[in-house]
PDB file of all heavy atoms in Angstrom:
ATOM      1  N   GLN I 329      52.455   9.663  85.641  1.00  0.00           N
ATOM      2  CA  GLN I 329      53.868   9.962  85.482  1.00  0.00           C
ATOM      3  C   GLN I 329      54.579   8.674  84.951  1.00  0.00           C
ATOM      4  O   GLN I 329      55.372   8.774  84.052  1.00  0.00           O
ATOM      5  CB  GLN I 329      54.506  10.444  86.720  1.00  0.00           C
ATOM      6  CG  GLN I 329      54.061  11.784  87.240  1.00  0.00           C
ATOM      7  CD  GLN I 329      52.833  11.631  88.159  1.00  0.00           C
ATOM      8  OE1 GLN I 329      52.075  10.681  88.128  1.00  0.00           O
ATOM      9  NE2 GLN I 329      52.632  12.611  88.989  1.00  0.00           N
ATOM     10  N   ILE I 330      54.340   7.523  85.610  1.00  0.00           N
ATOM     11  CA  ILE I 330      55.036   6.203  85.213  1.00  0.00           C
ATOM     12  C   ILE I 330      54.540   5.820  83.866  1.00  0.00           C
ATOM     13  O   ILE I 330      55.329   5.407  82.988  1.00  0.00           O
ATOM     14  CB  ILE I 330      54.635   5.186  86.291  1.00  0.00           C
ATOM     15  CG1 ILE I 330      55.195   5.510  87.662  1.00  0.00           C
ATOM     16  CG2 ILE I 330      55.171   3.813  85.851  1.00  0.00           C
ATOM     17  CD1 ILE I 330      56.695   5.615  87.760  1.00  0.00           C
ATOM     18  N   ARG I 331      53.230   6.092  83.544  1.00  0.00           N
ATOM     19  CA  ARG I 331      52.728   5.643  82.160  1.00  0.00           C
ATOM     20  C   ARG I 331      53.345   6.604  81.116  1.00  0.00           C
ATOM     21  O   ARG I 331      53.455   6.217  79.918  1.00  0.00           O
ATOM     22  CB  ARG I 331      51.211   5.693  82.179  1.00  0.00           C
ATOM     23  CG  ARG I 331      50.627   4.641  83.054  1.00  0.00           C
ATOM     24  CD  ARG I 331      49.140   4.398  82.809  1.00  0.00           C
ATOM     25  NE  ARG I 331      48.288   5.517  83.309  1.00  0.00           N
ATOM     26  CZ  ARG I 331      47.851   5.616  84.510  1.00  0.00           C
ATOM     27  NH1 ARG I 331      48.097   4.703  85.441  1.00  0.00           N
ATOM     28  NH2 ARG I 331      47.104   6.635  84.894  1.00  0.00           N
ATOM     29  N   ASN I 332      53.589   7.855  81.417  1.00  0.00           N
ATOM     30  CA  ASN I 332      54.220   8.753  80.487  1.00  0.00           C
ATOM     31  C   ASN I 332      55.709   8.266  80.173  1.00  0.00           C
ATOM     32  O   ASN I 332      56.129   8.468  79.017  1.00  0.00           O
ATOM     33  CB  ASN I 332      54.242  10.207  80.961  1.00  0.00           C
ATOM     34  CG  ASN I 332      52.889  10.879  81.043  1.00  0.00           C
ATOM     35  OD1 ASN I 332      51.948  10.381  80.358  1.00  0.00           O
ATOM     36  ND2 ASN I 332      52.780  11.921  81.835  1.00  0.00           N
ATOM     37  N   ARG I 333      56.315   7.813  81.103  1.00  0.00           N
ATOM     38  CA  ARG I 333      57.747   7.364  80.850  1.00  0.00           C
ATOM     39  C   ARG I 333      57.886   5.899  80.559  1.00  0.00           C
ATOM     40  O   ARG I 333      58.700   5.559  79.670  1.00  0.00           O
ATOM     41  CB  ARG I 333      58.645   7.591  82.212  1.00  0.00           C
ATOM     42  CG  ARG I 333      58.726   9.007  82.692  1.00  0.00           C
ATOM     43  CD  ARG I 333      59.682   9.846  81.873  1.00  0.00           C
ATOM     44  NE  ARG I 333      60.986   9.154  81.627  1.00  0.00           N
ATOM     45  CZ  ARG I 333      61.862   9.641  80.767  1.00  0.00           C
ATOM     46  NH1 ARG I 333      61.682  10.776  80.094  1.00  0.00           N
ATOM     47  NH2 ARG I 333      63.015   9.011  80.501  1.00  0.00           N
ATOM     48  N   GLY I 334      57.157   5.088  81.198  1.00  0.00           N
ATOM     49  CA  GLY I 334      57.345   3.592  81.127  1.00  0.00           C
ATOM     50  C   GLY I 334      56.888   3.111  79.729  1.00  0.00           C
ATOM     51  O   GLY I 334      55.974   3.624  79.100  1.00  0.00           O
ATOM     52  N   THR I 335      57.525   2.007  79.323  1.00  0.00           N
ATOM     53  CA  THR I 335      57.316   1.504  77.980  1.00  0.00           C
ATOM     54  C   THR I 335      57.093  -0.096  78.062  1.00  0.00           C
ATOM     55  O   THR I 335      57.502  -0.687  79.034  1.00  0.00           O
ATOM     56  CB  THR I 335      58.570   1.689  77.085  1.00  0.00           C
ATOM     57  OG1 THR I 335      59.731   0.975  77.706  1.00  0.00           O
ATOM     58  CG2 THR I 335      58.917   3.146  76.934  1.00  0.00           C
ATOM     59  N   VAL I 336      56.402  -0.652  77.135  1.00  0.00           N
ATOM     60  CA  VAL I 336      56.268  -2.042  77.085  1.00  0.00           C
ATOM     61  C   VAL I 336      57.603  -2.704  76.801  1.00  0.00           C
ATOM     62  O   VAL I 336      57.953  -3.787  77.336  1.00  0.00           O
ATOM     63  CB  VAL I 336      55.222  -2.473  75.930  1.00  0.00           C
ATOM     64  CG1 VAL I 336      55.112  -4.028  75.889  1.00  0.00           C
ATOM     65  CG2 VAL I 336      53.854  -1.901  76.258  1.00  0.00           C
ATOM     66  N   GLY I 337      58.497  -2.021  76.023  1.00  0.00           N
ATOM     67  CA  GLY I 337      59.819  -2.544  75.816  1.00  0.00           C
ATOM     68  C   GLY I 337      60.607  -2.753  77.163  1.00  0.00           C
ATOM     69  O   GLY I 337      61.276  -3.677  77.305  1.00  0.00           O
ATOM     70  N   GLY I 338      60.376  -1.781  78.065  1.00  0.00           N
ATOM     71  CA  GLY I 338      60.945  -1.835  79.340  1.00  0.00           C
ATOM     72  C   GLY I 338      60.344  -2.950  80.171  1.00  0.00           C
ATOM     73  O   GLY I 338      61.139  -3.704  80.935  1.00  0.00           O
ATOM     74  N   ASN I 339      59.112  -3.156  80.063  1.00  0.00           N
ATOM     75  CA  ASN I 339      58.402  -4.262  80.827  1.00  0.00           C
ATOM     76  C   ASN I 339      58.932  -5.642  80.212  1.00  0.00           C
ATOM     77  O   ASN I 339      59.214  -6.515  80.981  1.00  0.00           O
ATOM     78  CB  ASN I 339      56.913  -4.250  80.400  1.00  0.00           C
ATOM     79  CG  ASN I 339      55.993  -4.562  81.613  1.00  0.00           C
ATOM     80  OD1 ASN I 339      55.038  -5.275  81.443  1.00  0.00           O
ATOM     81  ND2 ASN I 339      56.269  -4.008  82.723  1.00  0.00           N
ATOM     82  N   LEU I 340      59.197  -5.726  78.930  1.00  0.00           N
ATOM     83  CA  LEU I 340      59.866  -6.898  78.371  1.00  0.00           C
ATOM     84  C   LEU I 340      61.235  -7.073  78.855  1.00  0.00           C
ATOM     85  O   LEU I 340      61.739  -8.126  79.169  1.00  0.00           O
ATOM     86  CB  LEU I 340      59.845  -6.812  76.820  1.00  0.00           C
ATOM     87  CG  LEU I 340      58.425  -7.036  76.162  1.00  0.00           C
ATOM     88  CD1 LEU I 340      58.465  -6.559  74.694  1.00  0.00           C
ATOM     89  CD2 LEU I 340      58.133  -8.552  76.172  1.00  0.00           C
ATOM     90  N   GLY I 341      61.971  -5.916  78.872  1.00  0.00           N
ATOM     91  CA  GLY I 341      63.346  -5.946  79.275  1.00  0.00           C
ATOM     92  C   GLY I 341      63.493  -6.519  80.716  1.00  0.00           C
ATOM     93  O   GLY I 341      64.402  -7.254  81.051  1.00  0.00           O
ATOM     94  N   THR I 342      62.598  -6.065  81.625  1.00  0.00           N
ATOM     95  CA  THR I 342      62.572  -6.448  82.996  1.00  0.00           C
ATOM     96  C   THR I 342      62.145  -7.985  83.072  1.00  0.00           C
ATOM     97  O   THR I 342      62.572  -8.726  83.920  1.00  0.00           O
ATOM     98  CB  THR I 342      61.749  -5.598  83.886  1.00  0.00           C
ATOM     99  OG1 THR I 342      62.404  -4.299  83.811  1.00  0.00           O
ATOM    100  CG2 THR I 342      61.740  -6.035  85.303  1.00  0.00           C
ATOM    101  N   SER I 343      61.099  -8.303  82.292  1.00  0.00           N
ATOM    102  CA  SER I 343      60.547  -9.720  82.243  1.00  0.00           C
ATOM    103  C   SER I 343      60.186 -10.129  83.705  1.00  0.00           C
ATOM    104  O   SER I 343      60.319 -11.330  83.992  1.00  0.00           O
ATOM    105  CB  SER I 343      61.539 -10.691  81.631  1.00  0.00           C
ATOM    106  OG  SER I 343      61.728 -10.391  80.257  1.00  0.00           O
ATOM    107  N   SER I 344      59.563  -9.234  84.465  1.00  0.00           N
ATOM    108  CA  SER I 344      59.039  -9.700  85.723  1.00  0.00           C
ATOM    109  C   SER I 344      57.733 -10.455  85.486  1.00  0.00           C
ATOM    110  O   SER I 344      56.884 -10.063  84.710  1.00  0.00           O
ATOM    111  CB  SER I 344      58.691  -8.434  86.620  1.00  0.00           C
ATOM    112  OG  SER I 344      57.861  -8.716  87.651  1.00  0.00           O
ATOM    113  N   PRO I 345      57.507 -11.555  86.287  1.00  0.00           N
ATOM    114  CA  PRO I 345      56.202 -12.140  86.106  1.00  0.00           C
ATOM    115  C   PRO I 345      55.007 -11.293  86.532  1.00  0.00           C
ATOM    116  O   PRO I 345      53.929 -11.545  86.147  1.00  0.00           O
ATOM    117  CB  PRO I 345      56.266 -13.409  87.060  1.00  0.00           C
ATOM    118  CG  PRO I 345      57.526 -13.248  87.809  1.00  0.00           C
ATOM    119  CD  PRO I 345      58.419 -12.175  87.234  1.00  0.00           C
ATOM    120  N   ALA I 346      55.351 -10.150  87.213  1.00  0.00           N
ATOM    121  CA  ALA I 346      54.286  -9.252  87.596  1.00  0.00           C
ATOM    122  C   ALA I 346      54.148  -8.069  86.597  1.00  0.00           C
ATOM    123  O   ALA I 346      53.299  -7.194  86.846  1.00  0.00           O
ATOM    124  CB  ALA I 346      54.541  -8.637  89.028  1.00  0.00           C
ATOM    125  N   GLY I 347      54.882  -8.110  85.538  1.00  0.00           N
ATOM    126  CA  GLY I 347      54.797  -7.061  84.548  1.00  0.00           C
ATOM    127  C   GLY I 347      53.415  -7.050  83.940  1.00  0.00           C
ATOM    128  O   GLY I 347      52.996  -8.040  83.369  1.00  0.00           O
ATOM    129  N   ASP I 348      52.729  -5.934  84.070  1.00  0.00           N
ATOM    130  CA  ASP I 348      51.285  -5.945  83.634  1.00  0.00           C
ATOM    131  C   ASP I 348      51.127  -6.008  82.120  1.00  0.00           C
ATOM    132  O   ASP I 348      50.065  -6.366  81.556  1.00  0.00           O
ATOM    133  CB  ASP I 348      50.596  -4.699  84.171  1.00  0.00           C
ATOM    134  CG  ASP I 348      50.359  -4.875  85.629  1.00  0.00           C
ATOM    135  OD1 ASP I 348      50.007  -5.908  86.190  1.00  0.00           O
ATOM    136  OD2 ASP I 348      50.571  -3.833  86.382  1.00  0.00           O
ATOM    137  N   GLY I 349      52.173  -5.595  81.426  1.00  0.00           N
ATOM    138  CA  GLY I 349      52.070  -5.610  79.859  1.00  0.00           C
ATOM    139  C   GLY I 349      52.149  -7.013  79.319  1.00  0.00           C
ATOM    140  O   GLY I 349      51.808  -7.241  78.206  1.00  0.00           O
ATOM    141  N   LEU I 350      52.704  -7.927  80.143  1.00  0.00           N
ATOM    142  CA  LEU I 350      53.034  -9.281  79.554  1.00  0.00           C
ATOM    143  C   LEU I 350      51.796 -10.138  79.317  1.00  0.00           C
ATOM    144  O   LEU I 350      51.757 -10.733  78.256  1.00  0.00           O
ATOM    145  CB  LEU I 350      54.095  -9.948  80.413  1.00  0.00           C
ATOM    146  CG  LEU I 350      55.421  -9.072  80.617  1.00  0.00           C
ATOM    147  CD1 LEU I 350      56.440  -9.907  81.322  1.00  0.00           C
ATOM    148  CD2 LEU I 350      55.887  -8.687  79.195  1.00  0.00           C
ATOM    149  N   PRO I 351      50.852 -10.369  80.287  1.00  0.00           N
ATOM    150  CA  PRO I 351      49.748 -11.300  80.029  1.00  0.00           C
ATOM    151  C   PRO I 351      48.947 -10.920  78.796  1.00  0.00           C
ATOM    152  O   PRO I 351      48.713 -11.836  77.956  1.00  0.00           O
ATOM    153  CB  PRO I 351      48.877 -11.178  81.247  1.00  0.00           C
ATOM    154  CG  PRO I 351      49.863 -10.775  82.352  1.00  0.00           C
ATOM    155  CD  PRO I 351      50.810  -9.881  81.700  1.00  0.00           C
ATOM    156  N   PRO I 352      48.704  -9.588  78.471  1.00  0.00           N
ATOM    157  CA  PRO I 352      48.052  -9.334  77.162  1.00  0.00           C
ATOM    158  C   PRO I 352      48.875  -9.706  75.939  1.00  0.00           C
ATOM    159  O   PRO I 352      48.335 -10.151  74.932  1.00  0.00           O
ATOM    160  CB  PRO I 352      47.778  -7.841  77.209  1.00  0.00           C
ATOM    161  CG  PRO I 352      47.960  -7.421  78.590  1.00  0.00           C
ATOM    162  CD  PRO I 352      48.869  -8.372  79.204  1.00  0.00           C
ATOM    163  N   LEU I 353      50.231  -9.621  76.028  1.00  0.00           N
ATOM    164  CA  LEU I 353      51.044 -10.041  74.953  1.00  0.00           C
ATOM    165  C   LEU I 353      50.977 -11.615  74.798  1.00  0.00           C
ATOM    166  O   LEU I 353      50.890 -11.995  73.601  1.00  0.00           O
ATOM    167  CB  LEU I 353      52.501  -9.589  75.095  1.00  0.00           C
ATOM    168  CG  LEU I 353      52.827  -8.061  75.238  1.00  0.00           C
ATOM    169  CD1 LEU I 353      54.314  -7.877  75.154  1.00  0.00           C
ATOM    170  CD2 LEU I 353      52.102  -7.291  74.117  1.00  0.00           C
ATOM    171  N   PHE I 354      51.017 -12.270  75.873  1.00  0.00           N
ATOM    172  CA  PHE I 354      50.873 -13.763  75.810  1.00  0.00           C
ATOM    173  C   PHE I 354      49.475 -14.155  75.154  1.00  0.00           C
ATOM    174  O   PHE I 354      49.402 -15.083  74.367  1.00  0.00           O
ATOM    175  CB  PHE I 354      51.008 -14.356  77.170  1.00  0.00           C
ATOM    176  CG  PHE I 354      52.492 -14.623  77.562  1.00  0.00           C
ATOM    177  CD1 PHE I 354      53.291 -13.563  77.831  1.00  0.00           C
ATOM    178  CD2 PHE I 354      52.922 -15.910  77.640  1.00  0.00           C
ATOM    179  CE1 PHE I 354      54.651 -13.839  78.206  1.00  0.00           C
ATOM    180  CE2 PHE I 354      54.271 -16.190  78.041  1.00  0.00           C
ATOM    181  CZ  PHE I 354      55.081 -15.105  78.339  1.00  0.00           C
ATOM    182  N   ALA I 355      48.410 -13.370  75.609  1.00  0.00           N
ATOM    183  CA  ALA I 355      47.071 -13.832  75.123  1.00  0.00           C
ATOM    184  C   ALA I 355      46.804 -13.371  73.675  1.00  0.00           C
ATOM    185  O   ALA I 355      45.770 -13.633  73.153  1.00  0.00           O
ATOM    186  CB  ALA I 355      45.987 -13.219  76.063  1.00  0.00           C
ATOM    187  N   SER I 356      47.792 -12.681  73.127  1.00  0.00           N
ATOM    188  CA  SER I 356      47.741 -12.332  71.700  1.00  0.00           C
ATOM    189  C   SER I 356      48.839 -13.022  70.893  1.00  0.00           C
ATOM    190  O   SER I 356      49.043 -12.682  69.744  1.00  0.00           O
ATOM    191  CB  SER I 356      47.839 -10.841  71.508  1.00  0.00           C
ATOM    192  OG  SER I 356      46.673 -10.106  72.007  1.00  0.00           O
ATOM    193  N   ASP I 357      49.591 -13.932  71.507  1.00  0.00           N
ATOM    194  CA  ASP I 357      50.671 -14.578  70.834  1.00  0.00           C
ATOM    195  C   ASP I 357      51.616 -13.562  70.144  1.00  0.00           C
ATOM    196  O   ASP I 357      52.006 -13.736  68.955  1.00  0.00           O
ATOM    197  CB  ASP I 357      50.201 -15.501  69.780  1.00  0.00           C
ATOM    198  CG  ASP I 357      49.522 -16.752  70.417  1.00  0.00           C
ATOM    199  OD1 ASP I 357      50.041 -17.333  71.299  1.00  0.00           O
ATOM    200  OD2 ASP I 357      48.400 -17.124  69.934  1.00  0.00           O
ATOM    201  N   ALA I 358      51.974 -12.512  70.870  1.00  0.00           N
ATOM    202  CA  ALA I 358      52.847 -11.476  70.307  1.00  0.00           C
ATOM    203  C   ALA I 358      54.262 -12.036  70.110  1.00  0.00           C
ATOM    204  O   ALA I 358      54.576 -13.094  70.636  1.00  0.00           O
ATOM    205  CB  ALA I 358      52.875 -10.261  71.328  1.00  0.00           C
ATOM    206  N   VAL I 359      54.966 -11.353  69.182  1.00  0.00           N
ATOM    207  CA  VAL I 359      56.321 -11.775  68.834  1.00  0.00           C
ATOM    208  C   VAL I 359      57.249 -10.596  69.064  1.00  0.00           C
ATOM    209  O   VAL I 359      56.953  -9.493  68.684  1.00  0.00           O
ATOM    210  CB  VAL I 359      56.348 -12.243  67.338  1.00  0.00           C
ATOM    211  CG1 VAL I 359      57.749 -12.504  66.921  1.00  0.00           C
ATOM    212  CG2 VAL I 359      55.457 -13.536  67.213  1.00  0.00           C
ATOM    213  N   VAL I 360      58.389 -10.844  69.779  1.00  0.00           N
ATOM    214  CA  VAL I 360      59.316  -9.782  70.153  1.00  0.00           C
ATOM    215  C   VAL I 360      60.360  -9.769  69.040  1.00  0.00           C
ATOM    216  O   VAL I 360      60.971 -10.732  68.680  1.00  0.00           O
ATOM    217  CB  VAL I 360      59.906 -10.073  71.533  1.00  0.00           C
ATOM    218  CG1 VAL I 360      60.854  -8.894  71.897  1.00  0.00           C
ATOM    219  CG2 VAL I 360      58.816 -10.252  72.518  1.00  0.00           C
ATOM    220  N   GLU I 361      60.565  -8.554  68.539  1.00  0.00           N
ATOM    221  CA  GLU I 361      61.748  -8.289  67.527  1.00  0.00           C
ATOM    222  C   GLU I 361      62.905  -7.808  68.292  1.00  0.00           C
ATOM    223  O   GLU I 361      62.890  -6.760  68.900  1.00  0.00           O
ATOM    224  CB  GLU I 361      61.253  -7.381  66.487  1.00  0.00           C
ATOM    225  CG  GLU I 361      62.228  -7.115  65.318  1.00  0.00           C
ATOM    226  CD  GLU I 361      61.693  -6.051  64.358  1.00  0.00           C
ATOM    227  OE1 GLU I 361      60.512  -5.987  64.154  1.00  0.00           O
ATOM    228  OE2 GLU I 361      62.598  -5.370  63.787  1.00  0.00           O
ATOM    229  N   VAL I 362      64.070  -8.574  68.179  1.00  0.00           N
ATOM    230  CA  VAL I 362      65.252  -8.050  68.850  1.00  0.00           C
ATOM    231  C   VAL I 362      66.300  -7.979  67.712  1.00  0.00           C
ATOM    232  O   VAL I 362      66.235  -8.534  66.625  1.00  0.00           O
ATOM    233  CB  VAL I 362      65.762  -9.065  69.863  1.00  0.00           C
ATOM    234  CG1 VAL I 362      64.663  -9.239  70.943  1.00  0.00           C
ATOM    235  CG2 VAL I 362      66.137 -10.418  69.328  1.00  0.00           C
TER     236      VAL I 362
END
Side-chain angles (χ1 to χ4, degrees):
Q329 295 89 336
I330 297 294
R331 293 192 289 273
N332 286 343
R333 297 285 313 171
T335 63
V336 178
N339 220 226
L340 285 164
T342 298
S343 293
S344 161
D348 289 320
L350 303 185
L353 298 191
F354 275 69
S356 291
D357 291 315
V359 172
V360 183
E361 182 182 330
V362 303

